[in-house]
Amino acid sequence: MPELPEVEVLRRSLEPHLVGEEVARVEVRSPALREPLDRASLDRGVAGRRIESLGRRAKYLLVDLSGGSTLAVHLGMSGRLTLAPADAAPEPHEHLAIHLASGKKLRLRDPRRFGLAFALPTAELPADRHFAHLGIEPLSEGFSGEALARAARGRRGPVKVFLMDATAVVGVGNIYACEALFRAGVHPGRSVARISRPRWDRLADSVVAVLSQAIAEGGTTLNDFRNGSGESGYFQVSLAVYGREGDPCLGCGTPVRRSVHSNRGTFYCPRCQR
DNA sequence: CGTAGACCCTGCGCGC
DNA sequence: TGCGCGCAGGGTCTAC
């Protein structure tokens, strides 16, 4: 489910339910995620603490806890984080449950197990190996065509791969990379070395527009977390090219084409995107 | 040193 | 209907 907009929608929808809650206990049901869940570290850094706020960095959801501790959760490809009554039967692939003193539990389900969850002292977060290498936040003040051009300097390869490279820009995954490139009229296979400044400007604008719109649209359907259904607004988002191979381009009617970049499907209009 | 590709894992939808 | 195949929104590691 998660690129930046999905994580941001999740953050906003969970926050009012979680802030002020106290963590009663941490239940590690199955530790086998991308990195094994560390029961002792989660106990130390999460159990018994109060949730103060929810943040986000890249595609990580950050649960800030009392005493200067942070719980970081990454949903990978198939992760779902939902609220449920504490006595609700565990779902299949429910790896972790954060039990709250109020009688609810925050549960992490992740069939493909590409996700992560770990605790760390908040002060150590910037230097932590999961975060230290991350690039610019696309919805932050400093993001612009100039910032993109600067990040791309000295790099090669297709611009689509660059947009999805978290050491350059964070939060842009496969869907929104395709959508932003379509909106900007830029061919996904174009080399980053051959992107003019006006194109970088258009690309930056498109990335911001696509992510913002997705957040806004996801935000219209975010009552799910009360009933724990786990659905998000994801499929409500109107996609222009992603998943539309062979269907007419919304701009010119040319069939949308699919190619592959670093093992990820790429959707684009061969006529509108150059 | 970058960059391209393989790989981690399970589930689902499609074509036969 | 049943089954095998390809594909899936993540990141990282290795071989060039």
Side-chain angles (χ1 to χ4, degrees):
Chain A
M1 111 121 132
E3 294 185 36
L4 185 153
E6 289 69 36
V7 179
E8 182 58 27
V9 167
L10 177 68
R11 186 192 72 75
R12 293 180 188 183
S13 53
L14 283 178
E15 187 164 49
H17 299 283
L18 291 184
V19 168
E21 287 271 5
E22 191 172 317
V23 176
R25 68 186 175 91
V26 176
E27 180 190 8
V28 175
R29 298 181 39 78
S30 139
L33 291 183
R34 174 149 55 90
E35 294 170 15
L37 293 174
D38 186 335
R39 198 182 301 261
S41 168
L42 289 166
D43 271 338
R44 221 170 27 241
V46 180
R49 297 178 188 260
R50 194 169 36 81
I51 298 173
E52 296 189 331
S53 63
L54 263 62
R56 181 189 58 74
R57 172 72 171 119
K59 295 168 188 164
Y60 288 89
L61 181 75
L62 303 174
V63 182
D64 291 315
L65 298 143
S66 56
S69 186
T70 294
L71 168 67
V73 179
H74 195 294
L75 297 177
M77 292 276 246
S78 56
R80 291 274 163 83
L81 200 57
T82 54
L83 269 177
D87 57 0
E91 303 169 298
H93 306 290
E94 183 178 318
H95 300 101
L96 175 70
I98 310 288
H99 290 263
L100 306 171
S102 65
K104 287 179 282 189
K105 67 175 177 180
L106 183 65
R107 56 184 177 183
L108 174 62
R109 175 166 57 101
D110 185 2
R112 292 177 73 181
R113 293 190 260 133
F114 291 163
L116 291 175
F118 55 93
L120 77 172
T122 309
E124 290 175 18
L125 198 140
D128 181 83
R129 64 188 169 84
H130 300 92
F131 305 99
H133 65 286
L134 293 177
I136 190 164
E137 285 282 342
L139 298 185
S140 73
E141 198 61 21
F143 184 70
S144 63
E146 189 190 347
L148 277 182
R150 204 182 319 125
R153 204 163 295 155
R155 296 202 193 214
R156 298 179 309 153
V159 62
K160 191 230 181 187
V161 174
F162 169 78
L163 283 180
M164 291 178 65
D165 183 342
T167 66
V169 202
V170 301
V172 182
N174 203 31
I175 291 183
Y176 297 121
C178 292
E179 295 297 313
L181 286 162
F182 172 76
R183 192 182 288 234
V186 176
H187 193 288
R190 174 176 281 269
S191 164
V192 287
R194 294 186 48 249
I195 304 236
S196 65
R197 187 47 201 284
R199 274 177 185 271
W200 282 123
D201 289 340
R202 261 189 296 155
L203 260 176
D205 288 348
S206 301
V207 166
V208 171
V210 162
L211 297 180
S212 306
Q213 185 192 340
I215 290 171
E217 293 184 23
T220 63
T221 53
L222 47 77
N223 295 327
D224 324 80
F225 303 99
R226 258 165 237 145
N227 59 32
S229 76
E231 297 305 315
S232 77
Y234 193 82
F235 292 103
Q236 316 274 327
V237 176
S238 34
L239 302 175
V241 283
Y242 186 85
R244 297 192 61 244
E245 181 182 13
D247 292 348
C249 166
L250 302 180
C252 73
T254 303
V256 169
R257 202 170 287 174
R258 180 181 183 280
S259 65
V260 175
H261 289 104
S262 30
N263 278 350
R264 317 297 294 277
T266 302
F267 299 86
Y268 65 101
C269 171
R271 178 145 169 234
C272 295
Q273 295 175 249
R274 298 279 168 177

